[in-house]
């Protein structure tokens, strides 16, 4: 099995998608150093797609051979649980595409490091086709995709992984300074279906004051009516 690597300079937004929100920029990677990356989508519902085409010919890809597509991904989830974040791989026929969901652990990463997830997606190069298309699709949540330093996947796989966190409403995302805000440890936790709501003491205090003010206004109104 051979490895293919995400190279930002070889990718571009899909011109057929009119709602694309994509930009190539430098971000702080898993190692804490600046790295070239693509950032896709927003927190609303603008479908965003970037793609890259690789010829299936000698020196590029071989039909019927096994490959792994390797990259780092950050984010790609929201707290509404309605985001889209996946990788498509296909030849000349889009209808015969492979789809790998990269959110909610549908496709397990190799490891997590400083909020980044390391992926190595296996696939077989299609036959009777001129080129292979790799495409990232995102909607409803910002996700950032970066390559493997020096194209050395073994060095990344040898990293000491961080403990996975499944308690947050979404994965770490670099668009939030310091990652997704951690809930107040003293907060009251309310669970409704799939969602978890954290109510802080200050919020409860403000609510109590507001409730008290409303109650006081109602009581004053009752007293005034009695005097009439």
């Amino acid at each position: 099995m051979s490895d293919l690597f995400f190279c930002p300079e070889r990718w571009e937004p899909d011109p057929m998608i009119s709602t694309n929100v994509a930009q190539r920029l430098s971000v702080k990677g898993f190692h804490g150093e600046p790295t070239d990356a693509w950032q896709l989508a927003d927190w609303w519902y603008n479908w965003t797609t970037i793609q890259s085409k690789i010829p299936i010919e000698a020196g590029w890809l071989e039909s019927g051979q096994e490959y792994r597509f390797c990259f780092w991904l950050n984010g790609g989830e929201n707290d509404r649980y309605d985001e889209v974040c996946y990788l498509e791989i296909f030849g000349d026929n889009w209808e015969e595409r492979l789809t790998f969901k990269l959110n909610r652990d549908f496709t397990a990463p190799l490891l997590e490091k400083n909020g980044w997830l390391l992926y190595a997606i296996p696939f077989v190069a299609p036959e009777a086709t001129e080129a292979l298309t790799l495409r990232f699709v995102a909607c409803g949540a910002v996700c950032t995709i970066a390559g493997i330093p020096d194209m050395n996947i073994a060095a990344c796989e040898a990293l000491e992984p961080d403990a996975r966190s499944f308690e947050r409403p979404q994965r770490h995302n670099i668009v939030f300074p310091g990652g997704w805000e951690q809930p107040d440890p003293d907060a009251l936790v309310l669970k409704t279906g799939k969602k978890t709501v954290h109510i802080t003491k200050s919020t409860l205090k403000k609510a109590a004051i507001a409730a008290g003010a409303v109650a006081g206004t109602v009581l004053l109104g009752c007293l005034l009516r009695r005097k009439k």
Side-chain angles (χ1 to χ4, degrees):
M1 182 180 293
S2 301
D3 289 334
L4 298 178
F5 297 92
F6 179 79
C7 299
E9 67 274 11
R10 297 180 182 174
W11 288 69
E12 62 181 5
D14 185 344
M16 300 298 291
I17 306 299
S18 62
T19 55
N20 266 330
V21 180
Q23 59 178 328
R24 184 177 164 188
L25 72 175
S26 179
V27 299
K28 186 168 71 172
F30 73 93
H31 41 34
E33 300 295 329
T35 188
D36 193 15
W38 274 94
Q39 195 167 86
L40 283 64
D42 53 25
W43 299 109
W44 296 276
Y45 298 99
N46 288 305
W47 283 83
T48 298
T49 301
I50 62 171
Q51 63 183 16
S52 180
K53 293 182 180 293
I54 305 174
I56 295 185
E57 60 184 46
W60 290 94
L61 294 181
E62 301 275 344
S63 293
Q65 295 299 306
E66 296 181 345
Y67 294 92
R68 290 194 309 173
F69 179 48
C70 308
F71 57 93
W72 284 97
L73 183 144
N74 188 298
E77 290 183 355
N78 64 34
D79 59 357
R80 302 185 303 263
Y81 296 86
D82 65 355
E83 77 284 336
V84 169
C85 181
Y86 53 75
L87 168 70
E88 292 180 336
I89 302 176
F90 55 93
D92 294 340
N93 189 350
W94 179 77
E95 296 291 341
E96 297 179 356
R97 67 194 180 280
L98 299 174
T99 300
F100 300 90
K101 295 182 178 181
L102 304 176
N103 58 332
R104 309 294 165 190
D105 280 332
F106 286 107
T107 303
L110 296 181
L111 58 84
E112 178 176 346
K113 191 68 176 180
N114 296 329
W116 287 85
L117 301 175
L118 176 65
Y119 282 97
I121 305 294
F123 69 95
V124 176
E127 299 183 7
T129 186
E130 294 183 357
L132 178 83
T133 299
L134 300 167
R135 185 160 72 167
F136 285 104
V137 182
C139 182
V142 177
C143 73
T144 306
I145 304 158
I148 307 295
D150 301 321
M151 298 186 182
N152 188 347
I153 185 69
C156 292
E157 290 178 296
L159 293 170
E160 182 68 28
D162 297 337
R164 297 296 307 280
S165 173
F166 298 96
E167 299 301 321
R168 292 177 293 197
Q170 69 184 69
R171 292 189 302 217
H172 177 104
N173 199 299
I174 56 176
V175 300
F176 297 111
W180 180 254
E181 184 178 356
Q182 293 294 321
D184 185 339
D186 296 325
L188 175 65
V189 179
L190 301 178
K191 292 189 177 181
T192 58
K194 290 184 178 180
K195 295 187 177 182
T196 299
V197 180
H198 298 267
I199 302 179
T200 64
K201 290 181 177 179
S202 60
T203 300
L204 287 173
K205 183 177 180 180
K206 291 178 182 178
I209 293 173
V214 171
T217 301
V218 173
L219 178 60
L220 179 60
C222 291
L223 290 175
L224 289 174
R225 283 195 295 273
R226 286 181 181 177
K227 289 182 179 180
K228 289 183 179 181

